[in-house]
Amino acid sequence: MTRGIDKGFIRFGARLAWMRASSAGFRLNRRGNVALMFGAALPVIVTAVGCAVDFSMAMSVRTKLQAAADAATLAAISVNSPLIATAKTMGSTGTVADGETYLENVFNSDAPSGYTALTPTTASVTKNGTVLTATLSYSTQVPTFFLKIVTKTFMGYADLPITVASTSSYTMPSYLDFYLLLDVSGSMSFPSTAAEQARLQAVNPDNMNPASGGNGYPGGCTFACHFAAQGVCTQSGTGAGPYQGPIPAAGSTTNPGSGGYCQGFIISRLGTTPTSFSSGNNGVNGNNVNWSNTQVTSCPTAGTNACIQLRADAVGYAVNQLLSTAAATEQTTGISNQFRVGLYPFIRYLYNSGNSDGSGYANLTASITGSPSTAGTINYAAANLASLLDTGNNAALGSGGTHFENALNTINTVITSVGNGTSSTDTLPYIFMVTDGSQDCQTQWNGNWSGTGSYCSPNYNSATTIPTSYCTTLKNRGITIAILYIPYQPIQNPTTFAGSEDIYANDNIPNIPGALQSCASPNFYFTANTPADINNALITMFEQAVNTAHVTN
């Protein structure tokens, strides 16, 4: 019995131990807890995922509406927008007509389905100066599903509010006036290239040293002198001279009288066959001039036997390229009469001074697409600029020196108003001056020389620089001055001829660039030597003026 009881007890103990072990294992096993916890959290998880979906859908709608708003404001200020055309006819400030309707129509055409025909919070297109600004904003509600359960229950609303806003701006092209002050004094009759200079120098009789001695230029005159009335270029003689030489004969078409013309300019209009300087008079080299040619009125190309290109010729050609560039820019912007250009040559006077009706050589005009070969156009006036080189006969220009004080003072009265470029009646003025920069106080008329002004010392034959006080007056009015400096060339073998003016002129050359740069507005000083340089510089000046006006406004 005892043994049986022991065996039963042992079996009972074993079962008890198994039950204890099983109970401990159950307590240690957490897999059932995960299920219970997940079950408890499931409603929260489903709600969170649902809310994320609702937010995602709302943000997707907002993105599409924002894109539609951006498209509308950008379309409103695009180049081809009808609102641009309307704004061009407006004054400087105001709301552009039909801007709100245009913005709403473009927005509704791009907005997602179900969100068209919304009422905008703001919708306007305004013009302030040359700046056009389109503004558009919308506020709306995006319906939700999952959030509706939560927000409706706890917060009292079921939809998500969203707002989109867009602003786009565009600076319209400015209306600009260009006043071209063009130096046509004697020094601008210098040939345009070294090769052209050598060609003229070899045959130019003006002030050559006569065989009997004298004070002319033994290497030939480097300027195409153009005086017609002073009578200094006599045919021949035995005194100090200077003498013209035997070619052409007195009384011929190109030498029409006693004293005749100084021949340099006429030779530049007739052209030459190649030759080199080999004597001190015109007896040999003069035969290389094409005396039988018809004189040209302009010489747009260097190196042709038909003419010798002078600096004034190169400037005239470059001005025509400037006019073409301005016309092409108007085609690009779609703004007619955006640019007006006027040509104002000067020697002693600015061309239009002294004319009671205000007329000048080529006054300010928006008609810039004429032909260089059609008389009466500004293009023709530019092409024939060299015909204005100092003759001593043009009362509108005067003769003798280079008088910046008169040119700048007169252009200050010609420019009667300074606008901001917002319309064709509120134009922004620019002065483009093309010059070699040597201020010369002397004057000449009918062979009589004198000098006026306090800018030259010690006498009227001496040279100085541009009086910058006149530039300051113009700049203080808001006028931009752009200067193209064509460097003054040293006179070779300077003599004491004409009161040593050659020596004065050469000594003055180092002073010219600094004075011109002080006269010019910031970043509007340029230098050019060759015809290609002159052409490129004028185009660069124009482009910089257009860009500067665009940024400023």
Side-chain angles (χ1 to χ4, degrees):
M1 290 293 293
T2 305
R3 183 177 296 174
I5 294 174
D6 290 341
K7 289 180 178 180
F9 180 81
I10 291 171
R11 287 195 295 270
F12 174 79
R15 290 174 178 171
L16 182 61
W18 175 84
M19 292 176 63
R20 287 175 179 174
S22 297
S23 177
F26 180 81
R27 291 196 306 269
L28 294 173
N29 192 331
R30 298 183 179 181
R31 286 176 289 180
N33 292 350
V34 172
L36 292 173
M37 292 172 63
F38 179 78
L42 183 59
V44 177
I45 294 172
V46 171
T47 301
V49 172
C51 290
V53 171
D54 282 341
F55 273 112
S56 178
M57 292 180 63
M59 290 303 99
S60 176
V61 171
R62 185 186 185 282
T63 299
K64 292 177 181 178
L65 292 177
Q66 184 66 57
D70 290 341
T73 58
L74 287 172
I77 53 100
S78 66
V79 173
N80 295 322
S81 167
L83 302 179
I84 295 288
T86 302
K88 291 175 183 177
T89 65
M90 294 173 54
S92 60
T93 300
T95 299
V96 180
D98 299 324
E100 181 177 353
T101 300
Y102 185 89
L103 287 169
E104 290 185 45
N105 289 341
V106 176
F107 175 86
N108 288 332
S109 68
D110 291 329
S113 177
Y115 289 92
T116 58
L118 295 176
T119 301
T121 306
T122 58
S124 66
V125 180
T126 58
K127 180 183 179 184
N128 186 5
T130 58
V131 178
L132 204 63
T133 302
T135 302
L136 181 65
S137 65
Y138 280 90
S139 294
T140 188
Q141 302 285 330
V142 177
T144 64
F145 178 75
F146 293 98
L147 277 175
K148 182 182 297 185
I149 300 171
V150 176
T151 58
K152 188 76 172 178
T153 301
F154 298 104
M155 302 180 191
Y157 59 88
D159 298 333
L160 283 176
I162 62 172
T163 299
V164 296
S166 178
T167 299
S168 299
S169 295
Y170 169 67
T171 303
M172 299 173 60
S174 299
Y175 290 84
L176 307 180
D177 289 341
F178 294 96
Y179 298 82
L180 273 59
L181 268 63
L182 306 173
D183 186 352
V184 289
S185 61
S187 54
M188 291 300 288
S189 68
F190 197 82
S192 63
T193 67
E196 295 289 76
Q197 177 184 347
R199 189 152 66 109
L200 176 63
Q201 192 174 358
V203 299
N204 189 0
D206 294 347
N207 294 335
M208 280 187 175
N209 193 33
S212 59
N215 58 0
Y217 296 92
C221 185
T222 55
F223 291 96
C225 304
H226 197 191
F227 296 123
Q230 62 175 326
V232 300
C233 296
T234 55
Q235 189 77 35
S236 61
T238 58
Y243 302 115
Q244 182 176 286
I247 303 173
S252 66
T253 302
T254 50
N255 188 20
S258 176
Y261 289 94
C262 288
Q263 296 295 314
F265 180 76
I266 292 175
I267 291 171
S268 77
R269 305 300 88 181
L270 294 172
T272 71
T273 54
T275 187
S276 60
F277 186 85
S278 60
S279 65
N281 58 59
N282 195 26
V284 177
N285 289 342
N287 289 312
N288 292 285
V289 177
N290 299 325
W291 296 110
S292 60
N293 279 2
T294 300
Q295 292 187 42
V296 301
T297 56
S298 66
C299 190
T301 305
T304 172
N305 286 349
C307 55
I308 296 176
Q309 189 186 51
L310 307 178
R311 282 181 163 181
D313 289 311
V315 170
Y317 177 82
V319 169
N320 260 317
Q321 300 309 300
L322 169 66
L323 294 171
S324 296
T325 300
T329 303
E330 287 186 343
Q331 289 291 321
T332 300
T333 62
I335 300 178
S336 59
N337 302 330
Q338 181 184 358
F339 306 119
R340 295 190 299 176
V341 182
L343 310 185
Y344 300 89
F346 67 95
I347 301 176
R348 182 180 179 186
Y349 309 117
L350 195 70
Y351 194 102
N352 79 332
S353 63
N355 297 323
S356 58
D357 61 355
S359 63
Y361 181 61
N363 283 320
L364 203 65
T365 179
S367 301
I368 57 177
T369 58
S371 169
S373 59
T374 302
T377 66
I378 190 173
N379 313 78
Y380 181 86
N384 291 273
L385 182 66
S387 66
L388 300 181
L389 285 167
D390 201 347
T391 65
N393 285 333
N394 191 329
L397 283 166
S399 177
T402 308
H403 293 257
F404 292 110
E405 77 281 6
N406 292 337
L408 293 171
N409 187 53
T410 303
I411 201 66
N412 189 42
T413 63
V414 171
I415 304 174
T416 56
S417 63
V418 179
N420 59 14
T422 58
S423 69
S424 59
T425 59
D426 196 24
T427 55
L428 183 65
Y430 282 77
I431 291 175
F432 280 13
M433 180 184 291
V434 184
T435 180
D436 58 28
S438 180
Q439 168 86 14
D440 193 336
C441 294
Q442 64 185 0
T443 62
Q444 185 275 140
W445 202 251
N446 290 324
N448 299 313
W449 292 84
S450 62
T452 59
S454 58
Y455 309 104
C456 297
S457 174
N459 56 58
Y460 64 82
N461 286 322
S462 60
T464 184
T465 57
I466 187 170
T468 57
S469 60
Y470 291 93
C471 308
T472 301
T473 298
L474 289 161
K475 289 185 288 189
N476 285 345
R477 290 182 60 195
I479 300 169
T480 299
I481 301 177
I483 291 182
L484 175 55
Y485 172 46
I486 304 176
Y488 195 99
Q489 295 299 313
I491 299 170
Q492 301 301 313
N493 303 310
T495 71
T496 57
F497 174 74
S500 300
E501 64 178 356
D502 294 350
I503 297 173
Y504 286 123
N506 283 355
D507 290 343
N508 184 53
I509 291 175
N511 305 321
I512 295 175
L516 290 178
Q517 194 161 6
S518 296
C519 176
S521 298
N523 301 316
F524 274 97
Y525 172 74
F526 301 85
T527 301
N529 287 284
T530 67
D533 291 341
I534 295 171
N535 182 66
N536 293 336
L538 270 183
I539 300 301
T540 300
M541 289 164 68
F542 169 78
E543 292 174 343
Q544 183 158 315
V546 172
N547 292 335
T548 300
H550 184 84
V551 172
T552 300
N553 289 313

